C-alpha cells in the first residue's frame, strides 16, 4: 500500500510540474488586441513542408478588418465550426463530452470538439498533431485568448489567419482566389461553401466542389438563419 501511495504521489507531482511548465511558458497574447499577426505556426509549418518537397512556399494572405468580412461568412463559419461560440469561454465542455462518447464507442478518434478559440490557438502557436501535451497547451492558450481578447476580436483573428487551401490564408485571400471578389461581398452560397471547406481545406476545393462539399454547403445554408454574429461597430 505504501508503494502504491508513493507511486500515486509521484505521478501527481509530475503531472503538477507539467501543468505548471505548460502554463508558465504560454505565449503572450496581449499584443493581439491591437496588432495583426505577421505569420502563424501553421503558415510556417506549410512553408517548411513545401521546402522539404523542394518547392517554393506559397502564401496568399491579406488582412481585413471585422467589418470588411461578409456577415454571411461569419454566420456560415459559426454554423460549421462552433455554433456555441458566443456562449462558451473557449472550451465547449458539452461538445468534448459528446466527442469522447462517440470516439470511445467507435474505439478510434472520429470526432473532434475544438472551438473556434481552440482552432485559433492551434493555428497561431501550435501544430496539427494529436499529442496530449499539445492539446493541453491548446486548452490553456484558448482560455488565455478568451481572457485577454473579446469574442469579436477572436473571430476576426480566426477569419483572417485560418488555412483555406494550398497557400491561401484568411477570408480575403480565399474570397478572391475562389470567387474573384472581396470577403465583404460574398453571397450566402459562397460563404457556406467556404465554411464547408474549413474541415479539410487541403482536400476540399471550393473552386471545384465535389458531392460531399456541396452537401455540407447545403446543410450550412439551412442553418445559417439561426446563428447571428454581433452587430458591426
Amino acid at each position: 500500500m505504501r508503494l502504491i501511495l508513493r507511486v500515486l504521489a509521484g505521478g501527481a507531482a509530475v503531472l503538477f510540474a507539467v501543468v505548471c511548465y505548460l502554463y508558465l511558458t504560454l505565449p503572450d497574447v496581449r499584443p493581439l488586441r491591437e496588432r495583426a499577426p505577421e505569420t502563424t505556426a501553421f503558415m510556417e509549418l506549410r512553408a517548411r513542408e513545401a521546402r522539404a518537397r523542394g518547392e517554393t512556399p506559397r502564401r496568399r494572405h491579406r488582412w481585413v478588418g471585422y467589418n470588411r468580412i461578409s456577415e454571411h461568412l461569419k454566420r456560415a463559419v459559426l454554423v460549421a465550426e462552433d455554433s456555441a461560440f458566443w456562449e462558451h469561454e473557449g472550451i465547449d465542455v458539452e461538445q468534448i463530452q459528446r466527442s469522447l462518447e462517440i470516439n470511445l464507442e467507435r474505439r478510434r478518434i472520429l470526432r473532434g470538439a475544438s472551438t473556434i478559440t481552440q482552432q485559433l490557438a492551434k493555428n497561431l502557436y501550435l501544430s496539427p498533431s494529436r499529442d496530449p501535451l499539445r492539446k493541453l497547451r491548446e486548452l490553456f492558450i484558448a482560455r488565455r485568448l478568451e481572457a485577454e481578447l473579446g469574442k469579436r476580436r477572436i473571430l476576426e483573428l480566426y477569419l483572417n489567419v485560418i488555412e483555406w487551401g494550398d497557400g491561401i490564408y484568411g477570408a480575403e485571400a480565399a474570397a478572391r482566389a475562389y470567387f474573384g471578389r472581396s470577403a465583404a461581398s460574398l453571397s450566402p452560397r459562397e460563404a457556406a461553401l467556404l465554411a464547408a471547406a474549413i474541415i479539410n481545406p487541403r482536400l476540399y476545393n471550393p473552386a471545384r466542389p465535389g458531392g460531399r462539399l456541396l452537401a455540407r454547403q447545403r446543410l450550412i445554408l439551412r442553418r445559417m438563419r439561426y446563428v447571428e454574429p454581433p452587430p458591426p461597430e
Side-chain angles (χ1 to χ4, degrees), residues 104-130:
L104 287 172
E105 182 182 339
R106 304 292 178 85
R107 297 184 180 180
R108 57 196 179 104
I109 297 175
L110 295 174
R111 187 176 188 272
S114 292
T115 64
I116 279 177
T117 313
Q118 288 175 249
Q119 292 181 48
L120 178 62
K122 180 174 65 175
N123 272 267
L124 287 172
Y125 302 113
L126 303 170
S127 74
S129 78
R130 295 183 182 273

Side-chain angles (χ1 to χ4, degrees), residues 16-54:
F16 179 76
V18 169
V19 170
C20 288
Y21 172 78
L22 291 175
Y23 186 80
L24 292 173
T25 57
L26 293 179
D28 184 4
V29 305
R30 289 173 296 179
L32 295 174
R33 294 173 185 167
E34 304 293 337
R35 295 205 308 264
E38 295 181 1
T39 188
T40 69
F42 255 55
M43 292 179 190
E44 297 303 318
L45 171 65
R46 297 308 187 203
R48 291 194 299 273
E49 290 174 345
R51 286 191 288 268
R53 296 191 301 266

Side-chain angles (χ1 to χ4, degrees), residues 31 53 69 77 85 92 105 174 229:
R53 296 191 301 266
I69 300 174
V77 167
F85 177 69
D92 191 333
E105 182 182 339

